[in-house]
Amino acid sequence: MAETTHSHSESPEEFKKHLGKYYAVFVALICLTAITVGVSYLKLESRGLAIAIALVIASVKAGLVAAVFMHLIDEKKVIYAVLILTALFFLLVLGLPSLTVYEHGPAFQGQ
Amino acid sequence: MSETTTHNGHDHAHAGHHELPFWRKYIFSVDHKVIGIQYAVTALFFLLFGFTLMMIMRWQLAYPGQPLPVIGKILGETAMPGGVMAPEFYNQLGAMHGTIMVFLGVVPLAVGGFGNFVVPLQIGAPDMAFPRLNMASYWVFLPGCVLMISSFFFPGGAAQSGWTSYPPLSDIASVGQTVWCFSMVLIITSSLLGSINFIVTIVQLRAKGLSYWRLPFFVHAQLVTAFLLLLAFPPLEAATVMQIMDRVAGTSFFLPSGLVVSGEQLKVAGGGSPLLWQHLFWFLAHPEVYVLILPAMGIVAEVIANNTRKPLWGYRLLVYSVVFLGFMSFVVWAHHMFMTGMGTTMSTFFQTTTMIISIPSVIILTCFIMSLYGGNIRFTTPMLFATAFLPMFAIGGLTGLPLGLTASDIYLHDTFYVIGHFHYVVAPGTLFALFAGVYYWFPKATGKQMNATLGKIHFWTSFVCINFVFMPMFFQGMAGLSRRLYDPTVYAHGRGVQALNVVISLGAWGLGLSQIPFIVNFFMSLKRGARVAENPWNATTLEWAAPSPPGHGNFLTEPVVYREPYEYSVPGHANDYSPQFVEGS
Amino acid sequence: MDEKVYGWWLPPDISTHGAKIDQLISVLHWFMLLLFVGWGIFFVWCLVKYRAREGHKAIYAPVHAIATKYIEGAVVVVEIFLLFGLSTPVWLAYKNTPPDEKNAAHVRIVGEQFAWNFQYPGKDGKFGKTNESLIGSDNPLGLDPDDPAGKDDIVTVNQLHFPVHKPVYVEVSSKDVIHSFNIPVLRVKQDTIPGQQIPVWFEATQAGHFELACAQLCGLGHYRMRADVLVDTPEDYAKWEAENAPPPQEAPAAAAPDTTPAPEKK
Amino acid sequence: MAEAAAHHESPIPYMVQPHPVTGIPNGKFGIWLFLASEVMLFGALFSSYVLIRTGAPHWPPEGGLTSEIVNVPLGTLNTAVLITSSITMVLSWASCKMGSLPRFKLWMAATIGLASVFLVIKYFEYKHKFDLGHFPSHDNFYAIYFTLTGLHGLHIIGGIIVNTFLLTAGSKMWTTDPEHFTNRVENAGLYWHFVDLVWIFLFPSLYLL
Ligand code: HEA
Ligand code: HEA
Ligand code: CUA
Ligand SMILES: [Cu+2]
């Protein structure tokens, strides 16, 4: 496991190398936030497109935070296993809304 | 008899460490054993309490509209005007019975009690991974329980919308429902803390040599249970938060537009969905029913292996089944909602998954029965309860099939057939397994053995009575009798099966009386039970390597595991058991 | 309502689709009984044969039980059969074949704490519009008096009439909380979800007086939320319809005589 | 007797050092499990939001655009504040890694400060809505807005408490067991980044779309 970047055996000097990565992610996050807000001021015709763009950007940002700040990029297998399981059930929960209305037919008034 | 006059070599575990003050040792203890016992005793108390609620309720069902002698007076005029139960009080008793039995009784006993006490011992750990978190979990749980019980004293009484708390009914119910929500938030939080602790403990703290395939089945069951709690509970917590918002802040997450309650239009924004609650609730509550059964199966496995004096049949198959069961339990929840008007694709999907999930249960049961084959079966008290578990769970499980198939569920949904189904799995099923666990691990926890004669009386009377309680419910359900009915005689088909209600109630009160030998035995054995050494059952798993009761840090020497968990009757051995922790064989 | 027909098992079935459900229920229970008794005999035999006694020893080596594999296999096969051979086809056949709307009798059913309201479209076959803001004690459904389609509608409380041997198409909904529309003898059950109108259909094969029960906990009066189900012969139905049709130009609800006693107020 | 006494203070293994097989210490595993449950919690709320929103004829229900109801500049500012607090959190952990307690304290104080700024801004946003009489009961947009941001706010408060502990009393551990302390900071950081991550989704969903 010694090859992982965050192994405990790293000396302080070696560790310093990572700092640049953190700053870079910080800048990226701020820029992406700016882009999201900027796009929203465009008042896109298609709301679907606006939602898609915003959510994609948010996912990229979340990915950066998780991968770098939470150093998921090189994590141990157990944690991946737990997260994969969680992701699976998370998708299931995200499916609930469509199940709630799915096939309830034209009679469903949704309000 | 004084506790110091023992000659068993293990007692030095008590001595030799500096004494913590009483409140640190027994109240705010961080020791998993003390916390386990706290959980267990609290849970036993609530089981009795929940049962008492039901015994009162059974009066109304057997003799609708007749005043309940003595107790009717005590309960006061709002609950029991003139000694006759008010319908709203009936509904409170029902909702609280369900909630208390599930969330304050069985889960805390099975997971909080047995899980906490036994798991670290069985894996050879000195304690849980996070002792203080463990303490916090109990001390979040207890206020939750107290709050739940206190709701009876709020204006309008306790929650009365069923343990399922379906909105809009629960949204417009009296303030007791808000209290229910808040205490559920506490109880859920406690469970989450506990489940994190279990997973970390089992993954990280296993003794040397204790690979996953050497874990006792009970530990596997607890591990799967912990994952169910961890991932299924948060959606209910979210739903409960939204229900609190609906009730306190006037939002309408679960309230559609245009509701007219008692002739008045409800003044809310509307636009919510009552089915959303049901999905979130059952997303938890189906896994939850496996939370009730898996630890019970774990206990049964331990007791059966120990008392048949042979290895469990199909140990690996059992483990695969339990993992599969845990996984599948997340994708069957909507079988509780077949009658909410879902379409054919969705219902076909969910009835298929429901049938699939019954297969691992069949396998588990088969493994248990096959474990009896070729054994040398000792009918100790724990074994009696564990043996009874098998056919009782079989009845409960088999009657799940007609409910899981959409076409038959049209007729059976929300009838007493459902009540019969799940009580067979939770009462003579889980509850009996828990009794088995109490009798089995009591010597480990206290160093005293429970009285076998009282135990046998407890078993046989309970076994007979409980079948009189739940078997007739299938016939009532078949006759079409709805559940949660304050007065079943309102309906002609209800009058047809009213005689059975009398039988059931007599059975329930008989079952209540049958618990007296247990309660007596429990307290008497604490004081006067026969002293036992480390391993009174000649068992093989690690908890029997520790002194009885185990001292701080559990083991005198760090345990090392040399073999599979259930090496009983190994050929060529003088003893009929070869413990995991003894070297050489 | 002949009390004697209600016993400890399924009540009589008076629907055209119910026979399949009953068949499924009985096949299932025979299957369950077989499994239970089969395993039960083996189980008891094991307990007796392998009880601990002097000189008896447990067998360490795992038995190679081919039989259990076969039994488990058989259970799987039977379950597949139950699932795809019986239950799913019955369910699909029932749910996917609503009656031809033109030939069916129509009823709108609205549950409330704690009564059932029934709206019949009357001669014109059209339901009058309803609006929840118009709901009042004399207008339980909130019928819009300005809608011509509603002029001939019949509204009843706790009394459901429909003709025998004719498909009935109902739409259930609720004013307040979730109820469940349940007529045991017709093998129908459907939760009524406020905010939704859910269609249900059935056809009775026998005239008579039956019961509608509420199957979902809906509050303190849940137990007494029952309605009479009157399955009429075509003649009786026509007569009832004629007698109850609101006289022209009058508010429809006022004309609906309610023969059942109002649910006793608590 | 001797062995019992020797065993008495038996510490729990892998509190500090990683487990040889899983490669992580207990605390880190625990915090990730906790975050897994948080994912399910916010996931359920988020999917409820999607359901209610897709079921509504207009969104927000009172008409117009979401961005006209909420204060987008303040929301953007708050996003920036939270992102910044995330990097200061990383830096405080990095300082521990590099052996400097004073710098840890500096960055940790900054994190707590930024978190507090977040709450203050949130307070003004809430207050503005309350002043307009827009409570959660106003309509479903407000219901969801207050529930989600409120719950998120509670998580921020929780983070502030934990971080304050690490900054003050908790930092005594630095002298006795720096590695353990560093692990604690890392775990607090994992939680804090998660709270940030939730906000990253809440911000566009509640303010912009
Ligand atoms: C511990 C709890 C527990 C367990 C294990 C189960 C197990 C199962 N349950 Fe149950 N269920 C509940 C608790 C439980 N349930 C509760 C509490 C409710 C009601 C909630 C409410 O509405 O309030 C409920 C309701 C419920 C419903 C909804 C009914 C309705 O409301 O209409 C359904 C429908 O599918 C269902 C199905 C099943 C199935 C298919 C199984 C299967 O997993 C069962 C599989 C087991 C077997 C198939 C047995 C195998 C038998 C043998 C191999 C024979 C061996 C013989 C001998 C030993 C003699 N259950
Ligand atoms: C784990 C769950 C569980 C358990 C164990 C039980 C156990 C029992 N239940 Fe219940 N029940 C539910 C969960 C449970 N129930 C739920 C969820 C509902 C649905 C609620 C709703 O509709 O919303 C329900 C509903 C329900 C009804 C239907 C009410 C209605 O629909 O109107 C009935 C009716 O008879 C009933 C009866 C009983 C009986 C007689 C027992 C008996 O088996 C009880 C046996 C109890 C004991 C034997 C106690 C043992 C404890 C001790 C002896 C303590 C000793 C103490 C010390 C040593 C300190 N239950
Ligand atoms: Cu209406 Cu029960
Ligand atoms: Cu279920």
Side-chain angles (χ1 to χ4, degrees):
Chain A
M1 310 261 158
E3 69 277 5
T4 58
T5 31
H6 295 285
S7 97
H8 289 255
S9 54
E10 237 172 0
S11 72
E13 288 69 42
E14 280 174 288
F15 191 84
K16 245 188 192 131
K17 285 188 299 211
H18 300 306
L19 293 184
K21 212 165 54 188
Y22 297 142
Y23 287 118
V25 166
F26 172 67
V27 173
L29 289 176
I30 295 289
C31 292
L32 286 171
T33 307
I35 293 176
T36 319
V37 177
V39 169
S40 87
Y41 276 103
L42 290 182
K43 305 248 189 298
L44 287 181
E45 277 298 308
S46 148
R47 213 157 191 200
L49 185 67
I51 292 177
I53 293 178
L55 286 186
V56 166
I57 297 180
S59 305
V60 171
K61 286 165 71 182
L64 284 174
V65 171
V68 181
F69 286 175
M70 301 168 89
H71 26 89
L72 257 190
I73 193 126
D74 53 352
E75 215 15 292
K76 298 294 181 291
K77 271 208 241 96
V78 241
I79 289 178
Y80 286 148
V82 167
L83 290 183
I84 287 170
L85 192 69
T86 312
L88 225 60
F89 292 137
F90 174 70
L91 290 179
L92 210 60
V93 161
L94 283 190
L96 286 184
S98 39
L99 289 185
T100 310
V101 293
Y102 179 62
E103 279 194 342
H104 278 83
F108 180 73
Q109 297 170 342
Q111 37 173 318
Chain B
M1 178 171 143
S2 128
E3 304 210 359
T4 46
T5 58
T6 54
H7 305 286
N8 296 323
H10 61 263
D11 232 30
H12 54 195
H14 293 297
H17 55 78
H18 55 109
E19 287 296 310
L20 289 166
F22 176 82
W23 63 276
R24 280 293 312 273
K25 205 166 153 194
Y26 296 111
I27 299 176
F28 293 103
S29 170
V30 293
D31 184 331
H32 75 98
K33 298 180 292 296
V34 179
I35 296 171
I37 292 170
Q38 287 175 330
Y39 259 118
V41 171
T42 317
L44 280 170
F45 169 78
F46 283 120
L47 278 178
L48 196 59
F49 186 80
F51 187 24
T52 311
L53 299 184
M54 187 40 74
M55 287 193 280
I56 297 172
M57 231 173 128
R58 288 295 332 171
W59 173 270
Q60 167 66 24
L61 286 172
Y63 311 109
Q66 292 181 31
L68 172 60
V70 190
I71 302 172
K73 291 249 163 48
I74 300 171
L75 290 173
E77 278 298 302
T78 22
M80 312 268 296
V84 179
M85 184 174 291
E88 50 274 50
F89 188 57
Y90 179 90
N91 288 349
Q92 291 171 34
L93 292 179
M96 293 302 275
H97 163 78
T99 310
I100 289 172
M101 284 309 211
V102 173
F103 296 108
L104 278 62
V106 172
V107 177
L109 183 54
V111 179
F114 289 122
N116 250 315
F117 188 88
V118 178
V119 166
L121 286 169
Q122 278 195 335
I123 64 172
D127 204 320
M128 295 286 271
F130 309 112
R132 259 176 298 179
L133 191 69
N134 205 10
M135 179 184 83
S137 138
Y138 179 76
W139 286 103
V140 172
F141 167 73
L142 193 64
C145 298
V146 173
L147 194 61
M148 187 66 87
I149 301 304
S150 73
S151 68
F152 274 109
F153 302 102
F154 279 81
Q160 43 190 294
S161 312
W163 80 293
T164 49
S165 288
Y166 282 2
L169 181 61
S170 56
D171 269 9
I172 59 177
S174 63
V175 62
Q177 183 68 28
T178 310
V179 182
W180 184 93
C181 289
F182 276 109
S183 54
M184 282 307 288
V185 168
L186 290 177
I187 290 166
I188 293 171
T189 309
S190 146
S191 275
L192 288 175
L193 300 182
S195 60
I196 293 170
N197 219 339
F198 278 111
I199 298 173
V200 176
T201 307
I202 296 173
V203 173
Q204 304 263 102
L205 302 190
R206 277 169 292 123
K208 215 165 119 207
L210 190 54
S211 63
Y212 283 104
W213 286 123
R214 284 179 172 181
L215 281 178
F217 182 64
F218 180 74
V219 179
H220 280 292
Q222 287 283 350
L223 183 60
V224 174
T225 306
F227 270 104
L228 297 186
L229 288 174
L230 183 78
L231 297 176
F233 248 139
L236 181 64
E237 185 153 31
T240 315
V241 167
M242 287 188 276
Q243 189 168 106
I244 292 176
M245 290 297 283
D246 273 7
R247 295 182 49 86
V248 177
T251 60
S252 35
F253 286 109
F254 304 124
L255 298 173
S257 309
L259 289 187
V260 180
V261 177
S262 333
E264 298 278 322
Q265 273 186 280
L266 209 61
K267 298 222 165 23
V268 293
S273 162
L275 287 183
L276 174 62
W277 168 271
Q278 295 193 16
H279 277 293
L280 293 172
F281 181 86
W282 291 115
F283 190 87
L284 156 87
H286 187 84
E288 174 76 18
V289 308
Y290 289 92
V291 169
L292 301 175
I293 202 74
L294 296 185
M297 288 173 165
I299 295 171
V300 168
E302 299 300 299
V303 174
I304 285 192
N306 177 251
N307 287 288
T308 54
R309 316 305 294 165
K310 70 187 268 287
L312 272 184
W313 192 87
Y315 165 76
R316 290 203 176 202
L317 201 55
L318 277 172
V319 174
Y320 289 130
S321 301
V322 85
V323 171
F324 183 65
L325 203 62
F327 193 81
M328 286 302 290
S329 71
F330 280 92
V331 283
V332 301
W333 77 87
H335 67 203
H336 296 271
M337 299 168 62
F338 285 146
M339 295 305 123
T340 54
M342 63 170 65
T344 47
T345 319
M346 202 169 141
S347 51
T348 306
F349 173 78
F350 280 103
Q351 71 168 339
T352 309
T353 54
T354 303
M355 288 303 111
I356 294 175
I357 203 176
S358 70
I359 302 298
S361 303
V362 172
I363 295 177
I364 290 175
L365 220 60
T366 308
C367 289
F368 286 164
I369 298 179
M370 288 307 293
S371 297
L372 301 175
Y373 184 89
N376 187 28
I377 305 167
R378 305 187 307 208
F379 289 102
T380 57
T381 317
M383 185 59 180
L384 287 175
F385 280 101
T387 317
F389 172 90
L390 303 178
M392 296 295 102
F393 175 76
I395 297 177
L398 288 172
T399 50
L401 301 179
L403 299 173
L405 294 169
T406 43
S408 38
D409 193 49
I410 296 178
Y411 183 73
L412 295 172
H413 175 67
D414 265 335
T415 63
F416 258 85
Y417 195 90
V418 178
I419 303 283
H421 151 65
F422 74 77
H423 278 92
Y424 259 101
V425 266
V426 296
T430 302
L431 214 54
F432 272 20
L434 294 175
F435 281 137
V438 172
Y439 285 104
Y440 185 61
W441 281 305
F442 191 88
K444 179 56 48 188
T446 63
K448 310 279 180 72
Q449 187 61 281
M450 284 179 86
N451 181 303
T453 314
L454 284 174
K456 290 197 170 125
I457 297 175
H458 176 214
F459 170 74
W460 284 110
T461 50
S462 297
F463 182 72
V464 171
C465 289
I466 211 160
N467 281 291
F468 275 105
V469 177
F470 297 121
M471 189 49 80
M473 290 185 180
F474 294 122
F475 297 97
Q476 295 187 320
M478 274 296 174
L481 186 66
S482 295
R483 56 193 286 203
R484 295 160 167 175
L485 274 191
Y486 162 73
D487 182 354
T489 60
V490 167
Y491 296 97
H493 60 265
R495 291 189 288 274
V497 289
Q498 182 57 20
L500 289 176
N501 262 333
V502 181
V503 174
I504 296 176
S505 294
L506 291 174
W509 300 323
L511 181 61
L513 292 179
S514 312
Q515 305 314 308
I516 294 174
F518 173 66
I519 297 171
V520 170
N521 197 353
F522 190 90
F523 290 105
M524 214 176 64
S525 304
L526 266 187
K527 271 221 156 340
R528 279 192 247 139
R531 268 307 216 145
V532 294
E534 283 91 341
N535 195 353
W537 304 111
N538 293 343
T540 53
T541 43
L542 270 185
E543 76 268 34
W544 306 104
S548 308
H552 187 80
N554 291 343
F555 297 93
L556 302 183
T557 51
E558 204 174 303
V560 180
V561 171
Y562 300 99
R563 57 179 67 78
E564 268 69 56
Y566 307 112
E567 293 294 279
Y568 288 99
S569 302
V570 182
H573 268 259
N575 286 339
D576 70 348
Y577 64 110
S578 317
Q580 285 189 290
F581 46 86
V582 176
E583 201 181 353
S585 58
Chain C
M1 218 173 352
D2 185 2
E3 300 260 333
K4 285 197 205 75
V5 304
Y6 298 104
W8 286 11
W9 203 248
L10 292 166
D13 164 39
I14 62 156
S15 70
T16 49
H17 71 270
K20 292 268 175 53
I21 294 178
D22 291 3
Q23 184 198 22
L24 173 65
I25 291 181
S26 67
V27 170
L28 261 169
H29 281 83
W30 284 114
F31 167 64
M32 286 150 56
L33 197 69
L34 182 77
L35 260 188
F36 185 75
V37 171
W39 272 116
I41 292 172
F42 177 69
F43 169 74
V44 174
W45 177 79
C46 279
L47 293 182
V48 176
K49 172 110 198 275
Y50 297 107
R51 69 191 184 279
R53 52 191 186 272
E54 271 315 300
H56 183 77
K57 279 196 96 148
I59 306 165
Y60 173 76
V63 277
H64 283 283
I66 316 285
T68 60
K69 299 261 160 14
Y70 285 126
I71 294 170
E72 280 162 4
V75 169
V76 173
V77 171
V78 174
E79 283 194 9
I80 291 174
F81 167 71
L82 289 171
L83 183 57
F84 295 112
L86 290 178
S87 176
T88 311
V90 173
W91 172 262
L92 292 185
Y94 174 55
K95 288 278 166 176
N96 283 343
T97 48
D100 183 1
E101 302 232 352
K102 289 197 201 63
N103 294 330
H106 288 253
V107 191
R108 269 190 66 220
I109 300 181
V110 180
E112 72 175 272
Q113 289 175 321
F114 303 98
W116 293 100
N117 302 290
F118 303 102
Q119 183 186 4
Y120 308 82
K123 286 257 151 37
D124 63 354
K126 286 200 203 102
F127 288 114
K129 284 202 195 70
T130 57
N131 186 333
E132 68 264 6
S133 60
L134 299 172
I135 289 177
S137 53
D138 54 345
N139 189 359
L141 287 169
L143 262 186
D144 185 347
D146 299 332
D147 181 17
K151 294 271 188 267
D152 62 348
D153 286 10
I154 305 173
V155 176
T156 59
V157 179
N158 287 339
Q159 204 181 52
L160 172 63
H161 277 268
F162 55 83
V164 67
H165 296 309
K166 185 173 185 187
V168 184
Y169 185 95
V170 305
E171 281 188 357
V172 298
S173 67
S174 166
K175 279 185 202 174
D176 38 37
V177 305
I178 299 175
H179 304 274
S180 191
F181 170 77
N182 172 23
I183 305 178
V185 290
L186 280 170
R187 309 293 188 262
V188 290
K189 186 173 287 153
Q190 174 59 57
D191 286 2
T192 69
I193 314 286
Q196 293 182 34
Q197 311 237 341
I198 303 174
V200 187
W201 46 85
F202 46 82
E203 183 180 334
T205 56
Q206 194 184 319
H209 180 180
F210 305 98
E211 282 176 315
L212 191 172
C214 178
Q216 181 66 267
L217 179 64
C218 52
L220 62 92
H222 163 58
Y223 71 99
R224 58 176 155 83
M225 189 165 158
R226 83 180 266 296
D228 292 300
V229 175
L230 294 145
V231 187
D232 299 327
T233 58
E235 304 79 61
D236 283 350
Y237 185 73
K239 208 168 111 211
W240 172 81
E241 217 177 11
E243 273 170 13
N244 289 281
Q249 310 309 325
E250 240 184 77
D258 184 3
T259 46
T260 39
E264 66 270 36
K265 285 267 158 4
K266 232 216 59 78
Chain D
M1 277 304 188
E3 72 208 72
H7 206 82
H8 169 222
E9 288 309 330
S10 65
I12 291 152
Y14 314 121
M15 283 313 281
V16 184
Q17 295 305 323
H19 185 281
V21 176
T22 59
I24 45 173
N26 299 342
K28 188 162 176 183
F29 193 17
I31 198 80
W32 272 109
L33 288 169
F34 175 66
L35 295 185
S37 84
E38 294 277 276
V39 167
M40 297 301 284
L41 176 70
F42 281 102
L45 283 167
F46 202 78
S47 78
S48 306
Y49 164 48
V50 175
L51 172 69
I52 297 214
R53 174 167 180 164
T54 48
H58 301 286
W59 195 262
E62 64 180 20
L65 288 169
T66 317
S67 48
E68 288 156 7
I69 298 180
V70 290
N71 192 329
V72 177
L74 277 188
T76 312
L77 178 62
N78 244 352
T79 309
V81 167
L82 215 51
I83 289 175
T84 315
S85 83
S86 239
I87 176 116
T88 57
M89 188 80 206
V90 176
L91 293 172
S92 76
W93 170 67
S95 309
C96 289
K97 276 290 212 193
M98 295 186 293
S100 165
L101 185 67
R103 252 189 297 153
F104 156 78
K105 290 205 162 170
L106 190 73
W107 288 120
M108 192 52 122
T111 310
I112 296 168
L114 286 165
S116 312
V117 169
F118 179 90
L119 286 182
V120 170
I121 293 179
K122 201 84 242 160
Y123 165 79
F124 282 114
E125 283 185 63
Y126 273 21
K127 184 160 183 309
H128 178 67
K129 299 205 174 56
F130 292 154
D131 287 345
L132 290 174
H134 292 168
F135 293 96
S137 56
H138 188 72
D139 66 25
N140 279 337
F141 172 78
Y142 288 96
I144 282 160
Y145 171 82
F146 281 110
T147 308
L148 275 172
T149 56
L151 204 67
H152 180 262
L154 286 179
H155 279 76
I156 298 267
I157 293 174
I160 291 181
I161 293 172
V162 171
N163 287 346
T164 309
F165 169 76
L166 288 175
L167 179 65
T168 54
S171 69
K172 288 203 195 81
M173 192 184 234
W174 178 255
T175 46
T176 54
D177 192 349
E179 196 173 352
H180 195 178
F181 181 70
T182 310
N183 285 350
R184 284 191 168 180
V185 175
E186 180 180 12
N187 294 342
L190 288 174
Y191 170 79
W192 191 252
H193 301 313
F194 178 79
V195 174
D196 182 19
L197 200 150
V198 170
W199 182 258
I200 285 176
F201 283 103
L202 291 189
F203 172 59
S205 326
L206 294 177
Y207 284 74
L208 303 179
L209 298 176

